[in-house]
Amino acid sequence: SAVDPNNPDMVWFGARNTGLHKGEKQSDGTWVWTTVPDTSIPFGRTDSTAKAGVSFVACDNNGSSTILYAGVFDNVTTGTNGGGVYRSTDGGTTWTKLPVSGGHTLTTPMRAQVTSWGNLYFTASGQGAFKFMKGNSSIEKFTTLPTGVNYTGVTADSNQGAVYVAEANWEAQYNRIWRTADGGANWTVQSTFSQPRQEPDGTKSLTGYWFGNTSSMLANPTGGNEMWVADFFGVSRTRNSQSLGSGTGALWVTLQKGQEETVSLSLKTSPTGPKLMNGVADVGGFRYNDITARPYGTAGNTFNNLSGGNITSLDFSESNNNVWAATWVESDGNGGTGMVSGDGGVSWSRFGQLAYRTLYNNPT
């Protein structure tokens, strides 16, 4: 969605199934909504396998005459549903699909930002990152970025003249943010495995990767080298984005105090031993020795063996509070088992591990 920068009473909204919509605030405070005909802005692919539709709307104030951009997602290789980027220079009355130079494919636009000087930068799922420079006639692809990677978040910093592009993948090795200050000729990169994030109090994040499925980024339009990132772990901020990928890298602070970071599935306390055992979704569980502080230690007191996944229930032995059992389900729900601890949750063994044997496909 986007608010017209020259008319705060006009809002544009891209839907997953029903195309591009325009909202206009009336004098009595009510809103009137109209839908742009799909002959002007296609609805994009709307079947059950990929409901993406109009993936972004972005505005260039262009002085006092707004230029509109709309991304239409269509991952059908034939492009029958009109995937690409459309532009209107007459307030949304007529639209033109922008051509792409170099013969590059563009049918799956995802995120976009228009800079204060009128350039459009955007990403496309599985197809790369692109730019449309104001005054040009066609879209250009950043060909110097790695291929075969999904890119989602994108932002441009008017203070630095830099562009940032984020990868959005499940695999930790692909969770990276790229920075260019020369129009895409050269890039620096910061990844999950370098320059770990910190908590606001300076404590380093202990576990897990980050930049996971980064959905959006935003450089502070007032400058100051400040940039914000949203991924599936929450929201983080850096105030030295100019250092991203070089030297010690940009320092990121996780700003998730007072907001949900995990989904608790099971909580349990025993008369003796740890103060709290917490089974959570996706990242396993945690053992708390102090309920006023987050779990600590080299791994943040996370449950091990099994790690990750969903800990759906926890219980302890009434006769020996050091003995605990937990049930475990894979995050995708396709398998599960359990584990047992004899030392109050410090270490765990999965069910059947003590009797485990390697089986060979050999009659002898």
Side-chain angles (χ1 to χ4, degrees):
S1 61
V3 177
D4 189 320
N6 293 305
N7 182 1
D9 293 332
M10 182 175 293
V11 175
W12 295 89
F13 173 76
R16 300 181 69 183
N17 299 304
T18 56
L20 181 62
H21 303 267
K22 178 175 70 172
E24 296 178 274
K25 187 177 181 180
Q26 307 301 298
S27 58
D28 62 358
T30 62
W31 286 83
V32 173
W33 288 89
T34 56
T35 301
V36 177
D38 61 1
T39 53
S40 296
I41 293 292
F43 287 6
R45 188 170 185 182
T46 58
D47 63 272
S48 60
T49 61
K51 293 183 178 179
V54 177
S55 52
F56 72 76
V57 188
C59 299
D60 172 13
N61 64 7
N62 191 39
S64 59
S65 179
T66 304
I67 297 175
L68 298 164
Y69 297 95
V72 176
F73 186 104
D74 168 25
N75 65 353
V76 179
T77 56
T78 59
T80 54
N81 293 321
V85 174
Y86 294 74
R87 179 179 62 167
S88 174
T89 58
D90 57 9
T93 301
T94 60
W95 295 82
T96 302
K97 185 177 180 179
L98 295 174
V100 183
S101 63
H104 298 293
T105 300
L106 173 58
T107 57
T108 58
M110 292 291 291
R111 295 285 191 272
Q113 181 181 337
V114 176
T115 67
S116 58
W117 56 95
N119 292 341
L120 171 70
Y121 297 97
F122 64 95
T123 55
S125 178
Q127 296 174 340
F130 298 81
K131 60 183 178 181
F132 180 71
M133 312 300 284
K134 191 165 186 175
N136 285 4
S137 58
S138 62
I139 292 169
E140 301 172 70
K141 181 177 180 178
F142 286 116
T143 57
T144 47
L145 284 172
T147 59
V149 178
N150 288 322
Y151 296 98
T152 303
V154 62
T155 190
D157 191 323
S158 58
N159 180 51
Q160 306 172 21
V163 178
Y164 298 83
V165 176
E167 301 178 14
N169 294 267
W170 290 104
E171 296 86 355
Q173 66 268 28
Y174 294 126
N175 294 336
R176 300 174 289 194
I177 293 180
W178 298 82
R179 177 184 185 271
T180 181
D182 56 12
N186 298 282
W187 298 83
T188 56
V189 62
Q190 187 159 336
S191 74
T192 286
F193 304 110
S194 60
Q195 302 93 22
R197 288 191 293 194
Q198 293 185 1
E199 303 298 325
D201 63 3
T203 305
K204 289 184 178 180
S205 296
L206 297 177
T207 62
Y209 60 89
W210 45 293
F211 295 157
N213 263 5
T214 299
S215 59
S216 58
M217 299 189 296
L218 180 65
N220 189 329
T222 64
N225 299 318
E226 182 175 273
M227 186 167 67
W228 299 74
V229 166
D231 63 13
F232 64 29
F233 293 109
V235 177
S236 299
R237 181 199 64 210
T238 181
R239 285 180 169 161
N240 62 329
S241 59
Q242 79 283 359
S243 299
L244 188 140
S246 61
T248 57
L251 173 65
W252 294 88
V253 175
T254 304
L255 301 175
Q256 285 301 102
K257 186 175 183 180
Q259 296 179 349
E260 178 194 333
E261 296 182 64
T262 57
V263 178
S264 294
L265 302 176
S266 179
L267 296 170
K268 199 78 172 181
T269 60
S270 59
T272 61
K275 299 297 184 182
L276 178 68
M277 300 282 258
N278 182 13
V280 299
D282 294 327
V283 290
F286 301 93
R287 177 181 184 269
Y288 289 76
N289 292 322
D290 180 356
I291 60 174
T292 66
R294 69 175 189 167
Y296 53 87
T298 56
N301 279 355
T302 57
F303 293 169
N304 56 44
N305 195 23
L306 301 151
S307 60
N310 305 315
I311 298 295
T312 55
S313 63
L314 288 159
D315 207 353
F316 61 91
S317 169
E318 296 286 354
S319 60
N320 183 350
N321 296 163
N322 283 322
V323 177
W324 284 77
T327 56
W328 178 90
V329 179
E330 291 181 358
S331 292
D332 60 11
N334 290 327
T337 182
M339 54 191 190
V340 63
S341 173
D343 54 13
V346 175
S347 60
W348 296 82
S349 298
R350 68 185 65 192
F351 288 173
Q353 184 173 349
L354 297 180
Y356 175 81
R357 296 291 185 276
T358 300
L359 300 179
Y360 299 93
N361 186 21
N362 189 314
T364 60

